[in-house]
Amino acid sequence: MRQAFHEQQACIHDVYERMDPYLHSPSDTPAAYAVRPDRVPESFYAWRKNLFSTLFHSAYLMLDCPAPRRRLYGRLIHLYRIWVTSADNLLDNEDKLVVPVVMPGSSRVMRQVVALMAADRVLTDILREAVEEGAIDDRTAACLQRESLCRLLPSAAEEAAEEGGVGVRPDPEHVLEVIHRLKTGLLFNIAFTGPEIAEPHLSPSRLAAIKSALMQFGLGCQLLDDVRDLGKDLREQRHNYLLSWLTHHQPEALPALTARAAAGADRLYLHTPRCAALAADRGLRMMRHGLAQLGQEGLEFGHEEAERMARFMFTMLDLKELSHAA
């Protein structure tokens, strides 16, 4: 993981360096309307900020992908991060910084649009360079260009289905095993787009084991997200494991939660502690299982490290007080 972290840091730096030329207005643009790249915060390279990306990059080392293609895949990881975060910002009316750029006004929406367009141009650049260096051939580059979007479409479709709010809350197991697999679990496997297309030597069984482990970890993280976002998902009528569990097992609790959510109450999960603890416990077990499986596949840690990292996710997601309940 240490090696993967350092390699991923270099990939992140390279993406922003390549993005820089695309973020400058023409020199004759009036000053009031000029656009330019802003400084990339040091926090963008921190371990805490890149835990998921490091896990994904670690898989390339476990699968013995050669260094030139690891660099290609690592940059793709960060481009995926830009695409997904910018899209989430647009969908959820949020403003998480992903591509630092200076624009007039608040420019919350337009900065996300520019980030998406710049990231697409960087993808073209790195694929062309990979062909020139002999890391991949033209046919592989064309396939990666296409699949980098196609493999995101099921997740995009799930998000689209939630845009207007959901009228029916399905069984919680359906939320976890179908909806969340598309919404979040898929994103924990998207890093394998490159290796599945460009690595002819991959062991299908080993690849499947690593993908399954990351899927388990990702779904466990999503359960914690559902705990944290209980109030927000109730207000916005989004799919949520806890809300489905309450709908099917404890519907009498929903009116009071709905009233608190409408009033903007924070940490709504504290008002349904039993349900929150059940979801947190399941999320912990899934994360721990996935991480332990990654350890067995070559990540070089055992059950104690898997436990610590899984528990750390409670801190990452600002749910530390729930860790003892899981």
Side-chain angles (χ1 to χ4, degrees):
M1 286 190 72
R2 186 176 293 110
Q3 181 180 348
F5 175 52
H6 291 312
E7 289 187 9
Q8 189 59 33
Q9 284 179 312
C11 291
I12 293 168
H13 177 76
D14 183 75
V15 165
Y16 287 121
E17 200 168 59
R18 290 171 182 275
M19 204 168 276
D20 188 275
Y22 295 111
L23 299 176
H24 286 276
S25 302
S27 57
D28 59 351
T29 304
Y33 300 98
V35 174
R36 60 177 173 81
D38 204 356
R39 185 182 66 83
V40 179
E42 284 300 315
S43 63
F44 275 29
Y45 300 98
W47 156 251
R48 185 180 179 124
K49 190 100 170 174
N50 292 287
L51 172 59
F52 296 158
S53 297
T54 300
L55 280 174
F56 303 155
H57 201 102
S58 296
Y60 305 148
L61 291 162
M62 289 188 279
L63 293 168
D64 297 321
C65 300
R69 289 201 287 274
R70 287 204 307 272
R71 288 194 293 272
L72 169 61
Y73 306 151
R75 288 175 287 182
L76 277 171
I77 287 174
H78 200 64
L79 290 176
Y80 273 123
R81 187 169 179 175
I82 291 169
W83 291 322
V84 171
T85 306
S86 295
D88 281 347
N89 281 339
L90 291 171
L91 288 168
D92 300 336
N93 197 29
E94 294 179 347
D95 200 17
K96 296 173 185 171
L97 184 63
V98 61
V99 174
V101 59
V102 177
M103 300 184 77
S106 63
S107 58
R108 185 194 64 79
V109 172
M110 187 50 67
R111 274 189 290 112
Q112 311 308 324
V113 174
V114 168
L116 290 166
M117 292 192 291
D120 269 4
R121 283 152 178 80
V122 170
L123 172 65
T124 300
D125 285 350
I126 65 173
L127 289 175
R128 182 178 62 245
E129 183 184 277
V131 171
E132 291 170 354
E133 293 177 347
I136 57 174
D137 58 25
D138 285 315
R139 181 177 295 182
T140 301
C143 189
L144 282 169
Q145 182 99 39
R146 181 182 66 250
E147 290 299 309
S148 62
L149 174 58
C150 291
R151 295 196 183 197
L152 280 173
L153 293 180
S155 183
E158 193 288 319
E159 289 280 5
E162 288 192 66
E163 270 193 59
V166 296
V168 176
R169 295 213 173 271
D171 182 85
E173 291 305 307
H174 180 84
V175 172
L176 180 61
E177 295 298 334
V178 178
I179 293 169
H180 282 352
R181 275 182 181 268
L182 293 173
K183 179 179 183 177
T184 301
L186 181 148
L187 302 179
F188 278 77
N189 279 177
I190 204 74
F192 294 96
T193 302
E196 287 178 333
I197 292 170
E199 299 296 331
H201 69 279
L202 290 183
S203 161
S205 59
R206 189 127 191 271
L207 177 64
I210 294 173
K211 289 180 71 173
S212 172
L214 284 168
M215 176 69 76
Q216 284 292 302
F217 178 69
L219 289 174
C221 290
Q222 181 59 55
L223 282 178
L224 295 193
D225 270 345
D226 282 3
V227 174
R228 183 192 60 192
D229 295 340
L230 181 63
K232 180 173 178 285
D233 289 344
L234 186 53
R235 285 191 296 273
E236 298 177 4
Q237 293 182 288
R238 301 275 185 152
H239 284 300
N240 182 293
Y241 178 86
L242 273 76
L243 289 174
S244 280
W245 193 93
L246 288 166
T247 298
H248 289 267
H249 298 285
Q250 198 178 329
E252 67 277 6
L254 286 171
L257 287 175
T258 302
R260 288 191 172 98
D266 193 22
R267 299 186 181 277
L268 202 62
Y269 58 86
L270 295 176
H271 296 281
T272 178
R274 175 171 170 262
C275 180
L278 286 170
D281 180 66
R282 187 167 186 182
L284 173 64
R285 286 186 281 116
M286 293 180 76
M287 291 187 296
R288 187 169 54 206
H289 174 75
L291 290 166
Q293 190 175 351
L294 286 173
Q296 292 172 2
E297 293 297 328
L299 203 53
E300 299 177 349
F301 63 57
H303 290 283
E304 289 184 10
E305 289 85 359
E307 175 78 22
R308 282 202 300 271
M309 188 179 293
R311 293 275 179 186
F312 177 63
M313 293 309 302
F314 285 83
T315 302
M316 284 270 290
L317 296 171
D318 196 24
L319 291 168
K320 196 171 182 179
E321 73 275 17
L322 263 184
S323 179
H324 73 278

